[in-house]
Amino acid sequence: MTSKPRFEAKPAQPVAGRPWHGDVAAGVAAWAGHDLAAEGRAAPERGRSSAAPADPVADGPDADSEAVARKILLDQLTGQARSRAELRTKLDRRGVPEEISEQLLDRFTEVGLIDDEAFARAWVESRQASRGLAPRALAQELRRKGVSDEVVREAVAEVDQEAQEVAARALVRRRLRSLQRVDTTTATRRLVGMLARKGYSSGLALAVVRSELAHSEDEDDLLT
């Protein structure tokens, strides 16, 4: 496999909740700059407007399909990472011929601008940290984005049992603040349901909820 090129462009910053690999961001910036320069659009000619270049798609049926597809991919990858399937869907919706789509997707994959494994790992890390999602929910999200089952399994396997329990406890403690006036049975049902929606197993959810409720009751006793 072709080794990944080294790019000098400054990596883009990640968007909250939307993981973005810094090296890929730099690569997109470098490719975008090279692409514009190659088409003579890197800087406006004297006497012409300095506005951004027109979208090749607007050039009509005579526009070069490969140039159109390349610009679509660069635009889509600027600012956030995407799976190969998401990008293929975008190209299909814009009417890019399948043969050209696959050729460019393969090329972007070879140079590291598309990397489903890196995308899945970053997605899991981001969503597990920001939303407290368990592997089951994370896997569902990745599959909706077209990531293969094998890549999904490898990515979610990195979330160990201890990390799941820590995240589950944090979720329960935050929710407990709004359940102070309900009885234990109702609180248990709501908290277990909340964890289930985030992908936690019933066994882990129930154990964590019971533990946190007991701890909360002990604290209340100490304060009275």
Side-chain angles (χ1 to χ4, degrees), residues 142-162:
L142 287 172
R143 290 192 180 99
R144 284 197 293 267
K145 291 181 173 297
V147 180
S148 70
D149 287 342
E150 181 180 357
V151 172
V152 170
R153 284 194 297 269
E154 292 178 356
V156 301
E158 297 183 10
V159 183
D160 60 27
Q161 187 74 12
E162 182 178 356

Side-chain angles (χ1 to χ4, degrees), residues 161-218:
Q161 187 74 12
E162 182 178 356
Q164 292 183 58
E165 184 174 337
V166 169
R169 288 186 182 278
L171 290 168
V172 169
R173 288 169 186 170
R174 286 199 296 268
R175 184 68 185 277
L176 271 174
R177 300 167 188 169
S178 64
L179 297 175
Q180 294 178 353
R181 297 184 179 182
V182 302
D183 60 83
T184 300
T185 300
T186 301
T188 300
R189 184 180 68 251
R190 292 180 182 179
L191 291 168
V192 169
M194 179 265 292
L195 291 179
R197 289 190 294 274
K198 289 184 176 291
Y200 290 91
S201 67
S202 58
L204 176 60
L206 189 57
V208 167
V209 169
R210 285 175 173 172
S211 173
E212 290 301 316
L213 284 174
H215 179 69
S216 177
E217 290 175 356
D218 289 341

Side-chain angles (χ1 to χ4, degrees), residues 2-83:
T2 306
S3 59
K4 295 183 180 179
R6 294 184 178 180
F7 299 104
E8 299 298 330
K10 182 179 180 181
Q13 297 299 313
V15 179
R18 308 289 293 276
W20 178 229
H21 193 278
D23 292 339
V24 178
V28 171
W31 266 50
H34 173 75
D35 181 52
L36 294 178
E39 296 182 15
R41 295 184 279 119
E45 296 179 8
R46 182 174 300 177
R48 294 180 61 184
S49 171
S50 59
D55 186 338
V57 177
D59 293 343
D62 295 330
D64 180 75
S65 295
E66 184 173 342
V68 170
R70 185 170 60 253
K71 184 177 186 303
I72 291 171
L73 291 177
L74 291 171
D75 287 346
Q76 288 296 304
L77 288 168
T78 299
Q80 69 183 68
R82 296 184 188 275
S83 69

